[in-house]
Amino acid sequence: TKYPDRLDGERGTYYDYVLASNGLFIEAEGVLMAARVPVALAEVRGLAPLEPKVVLRYGRIPQRFFDLALSAFLVDTSRERYVAVAWNDGYHLYIPEQDADGAKVEYLMGDSVMMDLHSHGHMVAWFSPKDNRDEQGLKLYGVVGKLAGTPVVQLRVGVYGYFHPIGWGDVFDGCLNGAVESEEEKEVIDEMSYTVT
């Protein structure tokens, strides 16, 4: 429990649920990162607030890793593709053999992976219900869509099945080149939905 003057309670083995004035949060620490995300928002009087957070143990990922992943996705925009960022005495790109088509990609998970990235080809960048079921670790997740035009990237942090959206600059060191974050896409979709109704 997050009181104004202290954090009270017994720590869990893998993760903790923390009740705060603005709701229930889950937080966890691993070798590569620590994160806190909301589970349920609520107003709880008498407690102090918490905010979502992500701490990358070895700093933000250099921009070139996203650039390389985007290049791998653009090789064949008709299929979903998977690329990961792993840590082994430095950041490394991990691209396993994969079985992919226009709506799914299957691959073998690598060791020390801290970020999973996959493409959606010509579709929009969004996390599907299957992504939500599959992405159950303490990890960063990303999806890149609309590869036929200006690619759109959406990122989130996952804490054992609970997710929170994060910005490109929270994860990567450098500038986002050759793509845009999903916020612009959301505004366009919202404008379209207002026009239709």
mmCIF file of all heavy atoms in Angstrom, residues 142-175:
data_model
loop_
_atom_site.group_PDB
_atom_site.id
_atom_site.type_symbol
_atom_site.label_atom_id
_atom_site.label_comp_id
_atom_site.label_asym_id
_atom_site.label_seq_id
_atom_site.Cartn_x
_atom_site.Cartn_y
_atom_site.Cartn_z
ATOM 1 N N GLY A 142 6.453 -4.076 -29.276
ATOM 2 C CA GLY A 142 6.180 -3.091 -30.307
ATOM 3 C C GLY A 142 5.563 -3.731 -31.526
ATOM 4 O O GLY A 142 5.805 -4.903 -31.817
ATOM 5 N N VAL A 143 4.753 -2.957 -32.219
ATOM 6 C CA VAL A 143 4.172 -3.394 -33.483
ATOM 7 C C VAL A 143 4.318 -2.238 -34.466
ATOM 8 O O VAL A 143 4.166 -1.071 -34.097
ATOM 9 C CB VAL A 143 2.696 -3.846 -33.312
ATOM 10 C CG1 VAL A 143 1.828 -2.727 -32.790
ATOM 11 C CG2 VAL A 143 2.136 -4.407 -34.600
ATOM 12 N N VAL A 144 4.645 -2.581 -35.707
ATOM 13 C CA VAL A 144 4.816 -1.580 -36.762
ATOM 14 C C VAL A 144 3.865 -1.950 -37.888
ATOM 15 O O VAL A 144 3.879 -3.078 -38.381
ATOM 16 C CB VAL A 144 6.272 -1.539 -37.285
ATOM 17 C CG1 VAL A 144 6.417 -0.463 -38.359
ATOM 18 C CG2 VAL A 144 7.245 -1.293 -36.142
ATOM 19 N N GLY A 145 3.023 -1.004 -38.290
ATOM 20 C CA GLY A 145 2.054 -1.247 -39.352
ATOM 21 C C GLY A 145 2.124 -0.203 -40.436
ATOM 22 O O GLY A 145 2.979 0.681 -40.419
ATOM 23 N N LYS A 146 1.200 -0.334 -41.395
ATOM 24 C CA LYS A 146 1.097 0.591 -42.536
ATOM 25 C C LYS A 146 2.407 0.697 -43.297
ATOM 26 O O LYS A 146 2.858 1.793 -43.642
ATOM 27 C CB LYS A 146 0.615 1.958 -42.076
ATOM 28 C CG LYS A 146 -0.797 1.934 -41.529
ATOM 29 C CD LYS A 146 -1.422 3.290 -41.615
ATOM 30 C CE LYS A 146 -2.910 3.151 -41.424
ATOM 31 N NZ LYS A 146 -3.600 4.375 -41.677
ATOM 32 N N LEU A 147 3.026 -0.449 -43.572
ATOM 33 C CA LEU A 147 4.346 -0.464 -44.210
ATOM 34 C C LEU A 147 4.307 -0.077 -45.686
ATOM 35 O O LEU A 147 5.354 0.171 -46.274
ATOM 36 C CB LEU A 147 4.989 -1.841 -44.040
ATOM 37 C CG LEU A 147 5.329 -2.219 -42.601
ATOM 38 C CD1 LEU A 147 5.830 -3.656 -42.524
ATOM 39 C CD2 LEU A 147 6.348 -1.265 -42.019
ATOM 40 N N ALA A 148 3.132 0.000 -46.278
ATOM 41 C CA ALA A 148 3.048 0.420 -47.680
ATOM 42 C C ALA A 148 3.207 1.934 -47.826
ATOM 43 O O ALA A 148 3.532 2.416 -48.909
ATOM 44 C CB ALA A 148 1.717 -0.016 -48.284
ATOM 45 N N GLY A 149 3.016 2.673 -46.743
ATOM 46 C CA GLY A 149 3.169 4.131 -46.767
ATOM 47 C C GLY A 149 4.190 4.537 -45.724
ATOM 48 O O GLY A 149 5.292 3.999 -45.674
ATOM 49 N N THR A 150 3.806 5.483 -44.892
ATOM 50 C CA THR A 150 4.670 5.865 -43.771
ATOM 51 C C THR A 150 4.407 4.912 -42.622
ATOM 52 O O THR A 150 3.299 4.871 -42.093
ATOM 53 C CB THR A 150 4.372 7.309 -43.316
ATOM 54 O OG1 THR A 150 4.601 8.201 -44.423
ATOM 55 C CG2 THR A 150 5.270 7.709 -42.162
ATOM 56 N N PRO A 151 5.396 4.101 -42.244
ATOM 57 C CA PRO A 151 5.181 3.130 -41.167
ATOM 58 C C PRO A 151 4.788 3.813 -39.856
ATOM 59 O O PRO A 151 5.236 4.916 -39.550
ATOM 60 C CB PRO A 151 6.535 2.433 -41.033
ATOM 61 C CG PRO A 151 7.185 2.623 -42.362
ATOM 62 C CD PRO A 151 6.732 3.965 -42.832
ATOM 63 N N VAL A 152 3.928 3.128 -39.114
ATOM 64 C CA VAL A 152 3.444 3.614 -37.826
ATOM 65 C C VAL A 152 3.866 2.612 -36.762
ATOM 66 O O VAL A 152 3.693 1.402 -36.931
ATOM 67 C CB VAL A 152 1.905 3.771 -37.834
ATOM 68 C CG1 VAL A 152 1.400 4.200 -36.466
ATOM 69 C CG2 VAL A 152 1.482 4.760 -38.901
ATOM 70 N N VAL A 153 4.437 3.111 -35.668
ATOM 71 C CA VAL A 153 4.910 2.242 -34.588
ATOM 72 C C VAL A 153 4.104 2.500 -33.325
ATOM 73 O O VAL A 153 3.762 3.641 -33.017
ATOM 74 C CB VAL A 153 6.426 2.431 -34.328
ATOM 75 C CG1 VAL A 153 6.746 3.850 -33.940
ATOM 76 C CG2 VAL A 153 6.923 1.478 -33.266
ATOM 77 N N GLN A 154 3.769 1.426 -32.639
ATOM 78 C CA GLN A 154 3.098 1.515 -31.344
ATOM 79 C C GLN A 154 3.893 0.653 -30.368
ATOM 80 O O GLN A 154 4.225 -0.500 -30.664
ATOM 81 C CB GLN A 154 1.659 1.022 -31.453
ATOM 82 C CG GLN A 154 0.889 1.191 -30.172
ATOM 83 C CD GLN A 154 -0.586 0.817 -30.321
ATOM 84 O OE1 GLN A 154 -1.040 0.409 -31.368
ATOM 85 N NE2 GLN A 154 -1.312 0.960 -29.241
ATOM 86 N N LEU A 155 4.202 1.208 -29.192
ATOM 87 C CA LEU A 155 5.007 0.505 -28.190
ATOM 88 C C LEU A 155 4.248 0.415 -26.871
ATOM 89 O O LEU A 155 3.430 1.273 -26.554
ATOM 90 C CB LEU A 155 6.328 1.247 -27.950
ATOM 91 C CG LEU A 155 7.232 1.456 -29.152
ATOM 92 C CD1 LEU A 155 8.412 2.341 -28.775
ATOM 93 C CD2 LEU A 155 7.706 0.129 -29.716
ATOM 94 N N ARG A 156 4.571 -0.630 -26.106
ATOM 95 C CA ARG A 156 3.999 -0.771 -24.767
ATOM 96 C C ARG A 156 4.961 -1.554 -23.890
ATOM 97 O O ARG A 156 5.825 -2.278 -24.383
ATOM 98 C CB ARG A 156 2.629 -1.437 -24.804
ATOM 99 C CG ARG A 156 2.640 -2.915 -25.233
ATOM 100 C CD ARG A 156 1.235 -3.437 -25.299
ATOM 101 N NE ARG A 156 1.176 -4.835 -25.694
ATOM 102 C CZ ARG A 156 0.055 -5.518 -25.834
ATOM 103 N NH1 ARG A 156 -1.115 -4.913 -25.624
ATOM 104 N NH2 ARG A 156 0.070 -6.788 -26.180
ATOM 105 N N VAL A 157 4.788 -1.409 -22.593
ATOM 106 C CA VAL A 157 5.519 -2.220 -21.638
ATOM 107 C C VAL A 157 4.522 -3.224 -21.078
ATOM 108 O O VAL A 157 3.358 -2.893 -20.837
ATOM 109 C CB VAL A 157 6.168 -1.362 -20.518
ATOM 110 C CG1 VAL A 157 5.137 -0.552 -19.758
ATOM 111 C CG2 VAL A 157 6.981 -2.233 -19.572
ATOM 112 N N GLY A 158 4.982 -4.455 -20.912
ATOM 113 C CA GLY A 158 4.137 -5.491 -20.348
ATOM 114 C C GLY A 158 4.709 -5.991 -19.038
ATOM 115 O O GLY A 158 5.912 -6.210 -18.919
ATOM 116 N N VAL A 159 3.829 -6.156 -18.056
ATOM 117 C CA VAL A 159 4.209 -6.747 -16.780
ATOM 118 C C VAL A 159 3.257 -7.917 -16.546
ATOM 119 O O VAL A 159 2.146 -7.740 -16.031
ATOM 120 C CB VAL A 159 4.144 -5.725 -15.621
ATOM 121 C CG1 VAL A 159 4.564 -6.380 -14.304
ATOM 122 C CG2 VAL A 159 5.033 -4.521 -15.903
ATOM 123 N N TYR A 160 3.664 -9.086 -17.029
ATOM 124 C CA TYR A 160 2.933 -10.331 -16.808
ATOM 125 C C TYR A 160 1.454 -10.229 -17.182
ATOM 126 O O TYR A 160 0.569 -10.596 -16.416
ATOM 127 C CB TYR A 160 3.131 -10.815 -15.376
ATOM 128 C CG TYR A 160 4.596 -10.972 -15.036
ATOM 129 C CD1 TYR A 160 5.187 -10.233 -14.015
ATOM 130 C CD2 TYR A 160 5.406 -11.827 -15.779
ATOM 131 C CE1 TYR A 160 6.531 -10.350 -13.729
ATOM 132 C CE2 TYR A 160 6.759 -11.950 -15.506
ATOM 133 C CZ TYR A 160 7.317 -11.221 -14.483
ATOM 134 O OH TYR A 160 8.656 -11.333 -14.212
ATOM 135 N N GLY A 161 1.200 -9.720 -18.377
ATOM 136 C CA GLY A 161 -0.160 -9.679 -18.906
ATOM 137 C C GLY A 161 -0.897 -8.369 -18.692
ATOM 138 O O GLY A 161 -2.022 -8.209 -19.161
ATOM 139 N N TYR A 162 -0.277 -7.417 -18.007
ATOM 140 C CA TYR A 162 -0.833 -6.071 -17.875
ATOM 141 C C TYR A 162 0.045 -5.139 -18.705
ATOM 142 O O TYR A 162 1.270 -5.255 -18.674
ATOM 143 C CB TYR A 162 -0.849 -5.615 -16.419
ATOM 144 C CG TYR A 162 -1.750 -6.459 -15.554
ATOM 145 C CD1 TYR A 162 -1.215 -7.446 -14.737
ATOM 146 C CD2 TYR A 162 -3.131 -6.272 -15.559
ATOM 147 C CE1 TYR A 162 -2.036 -8.232 -13.943
ATOM 148 C CE2 TYR A 162 -3.950 -7.053 -14.768
ATOM 149 C CZ TYR A 162 -3.409 -8.031 -13.962
ATOM 150 O OH TYR A 162 -4.213 -8.797 -13.181
ATOM 151 N N PHE A 163 -0.574 -4.213 -19.434
ATOM 152 C CA PHE A 163 0.157 -3.400 -20.398
ATOM 153 C C PHE A 163 -0.087 -1.914 -20.172
ATOM 154 O O PHE A 163 -1.129 -1.508 -19.675
ATOM 155 C CB PHE A 163 -0.271 -3.768 -21.827
ATOM 156 C CG PHE A 163 -0.162 -5.236 -22.127
ATOM 157 C CD1 PHE A 163 -1.287 -6.043 -22.136
ATOM 158 C CD2 PHE A 163 1.072 -5.809 -22.371
ATOM 159 C CE1 PHE A 163 -1.185 -7.401 -22.407
ATOM 160 C CE2 PHE A 163 1.189 -7.157 -22.639
ATOM 161 C CZ PHE A 163 0.058 -7.961 -22.653
ATOM 162 N N HIS A 164 0.915 -1.134 -20.619
ATOM 163 C CA HIS A 164 0.775 0.317 -20.588
ATOM 164 C C HIS A 164 1.505 0.884 -21.807
ATOM 165 O O HIS A 164 2.656 0.524 -22.072
ATOM 166 C CB HIS A 164 1.379 0.890 -19.298
ATOM 167 C CG HIS A 164 1.122 2.345 -19.134
ATOM 168 N ND1 HIS A 164 -0.120 2.852 -18.831
ATOM 169 C CD2 HIS A 164 1.939 3.416 -19.260
ATOM 170 C CE1 HIS A 164 -0.051 4.167 -18.762
ATOM 171 N NE2 HIS A 164 1.179 4.537 -19.028
ATOM 172 N N PRO A 165 0.852 1.778 -22.586
ATOM 173 C CA PRO A 165 1.524 2.359 -23.756
ATOM 174 C C PRO A 165 2.691 3.249 -23.333
ATOM 175 O O PRO A 165 2.632 3.912 -22.292
ATOM 176 C CB PRO A 165 0.423 3.174 -24.438
ATOM 177 C CG PRO A 165 -0.618 3.388 -23.400
ATOM 178 C CD PRO A 165 -0.503 2.282 -22.397
ATOM 179 N N ILE A 166 3.740 3.224 -24.133
ATOM 180 C CA ILE A 166 4.908 4.074 -23.885
ATOM 181 C C ILE A 166 5.332 4.733 -25.187
ATOM 182 O O ILE A 166 5.028 4.228 -26.266
ATOM 183 C CB ILE A 166 6.088 3.288 -23.257
ATOM 184 C CG1 ILE A 166 6.431 2.056 -24.095
ATOM 185 C CG2 ILE A 166 5.782 2.904 -21.831
ATOM 186 C CD1 ILE A 166 7.614 1.269 -23.579
ATOM 187 N N GLY A 167 6.044 5.819 -25.084
ATOM 188 C CA GLY A 167 6.512 6.550 -26.257
ATOM 189 C C GLY A 167 7.833 5.999 -26.774
ATOM 190 O O GLY A 167 8.593 5.359 -26.046
ATOM 191 N N TRP A 168 8.099 6.296 -28.030
ATOM 192 C CA TRP A 168 9.326 5.830 -28.677
ATOM 193 C C TRP A 168 10.552 6.311 -27.914
ATOM 194 O O TRP A 168 11.497 5.565 -27.691
ATOM 195 C CB TRP A 168 9.347 6.317 -30.137
ATOM 196 C CG TRP A 168 10.360 5.649 -30.992
ATOM 197 C CD1 TRP A 168 10.195 4.500 -31.707
ATOM 198 C CD2 TRP A 168 11.706 6.079 -31.226
ATOM 199 N NE1 TRP A 168 11.354 4.191 -32.366
ATOM 200 C CE2 TRP A 168 12.296 5.142 -32.098
ATOM 201 C CE3 TRP A 168 12.465 7.154 -30.790
ATOM 202 C CZ2 TRP A 168 13.600 5.246 -32.537
ATOM 203 C CZ3 TRP A 168 13.772 7.263 -31.228
ATOM 204 C CH2 TRP A 168 14.330 6.315 -32.097
ATOM 205 N N GLY A 169 10.543 7.562 -27.460
ATOM 206 C CA GLY A 169 11.670 8.130 -26.740
ATOM 207 C C GLY A 169 11.890 7.534 -25.360
ATOM 208 O O GLY A 169 12.956 7.707 -24.772
ATOM 209 N N ASP A 170 10.888 6.844 -24.805
ATOM 210 C CA ASP A 170 11.064 6.156 -23.527
ATOM 211 C C ASP A 170 11.911 4.903 -23.673
ATOM 212 O O ASP A 170 12.466 4.395 -22.705
ATOM 213 C CB ASP A 170 9.708 5.753 -22.929
ATOM 214 C CG ASP A 170 8.841 6.947 -22.594
ATOM 215 O OD1 ASP A 170 9.402 7.999 -22.211
ATOM 216 O OD2 ASP A 170 7.616 6.838 -22.729
ATOM 217 N N VAL A 171 11.986 4.383 -24.899
ATOM 218 C CA VAL A 171 12.655 3.107 -25.164
ATOM 219 C C VAL A 171 13.947 3.287 -25.944
ATOM 220 O O VAL A 171 14.962 2.668 -25.641
ATOM 221 C CB VAL A 171 11.709 2.163 -25.957
ATOM 222 C CG1 VAL A 171 12.407 0.874 -26.351
ATOM 223 C CG2 VAL A 171 10.440 1.896 -25.175
ATOM 224 N N PHE A 172 13.910 4.144 -26.961
ATOM 225 C CA PHE A 172 15.033 4.281 -27.880
ATOM 226 C C PHE A 172 15.762 5.601 -27.669
ATOM 227 O O PHE A 172 15.151 6.633 -27.399
ATOM 228 C CB PHE A 172 14.557 4.188 -29.330
ATOM 229 C CG PHE A 172 14.073 2.822 -29.708
ATOM 230 C CD1 PHE A 172 12.717 2.525 -29.700
ATOM 231 C CD2 PHE A 172 14.971 1.826 -30.045
ATOM 232 C CE1 PHE A 172 12.264 1.263 -30.038
ATOM 233 C CE2 PHE A 172 14.526 0.555 -30.374
ATOM 234 C CZ PHE A 172 13.167 0.275 -30.372
ATOM 235 N N ASP A 173 17.081 5.566 -27.843
ATOM 236 C CA ASP A 173 17.937 6.732 -27.758
ATOM 237 C C ASP A 173 18.190 7.212 -29.177
ATOM 238 O O ASP A 173 18.749 6.478 -29.987
ATOM 239 C CB ASP A 173 19.250 6.345 -27.071
ATOM 240 C CG ASP A 173 20.140 7.539 -26.814
ATOM 241 O OD1 ASP A 173 19.638 8.674 -26.827
ATOM 242 O OD2 ASP A 173 21.343 7.329 -26.595
ATOM 243 N N GLY A 174 17.764 8.403 -29.501
ATOM 244 C CA GLY A 174 17.926 8.930 -30.847
ATOM 245 C C GLY A 174 16.592 9.421 -31.369
ATOM 246 O O GLY A 174 15.645 9.617 -30.618
ATOM 247 N N CYS A 175 16.524 9.608 -32.678
ATOM 248 C CA CYS A 175 15.325 10.153 -33.326
ATOM 249 C C CYS A 175 14.601 9.073 -34.111
ATOM 250 O O CYS A 175 15.222 8.210 -34.723
ATOM 251 C CB CYS A 175 15.705 11.276 -34.279
ATOM 252 S SG CYS A 175 16.474 12.664 -33.447
#
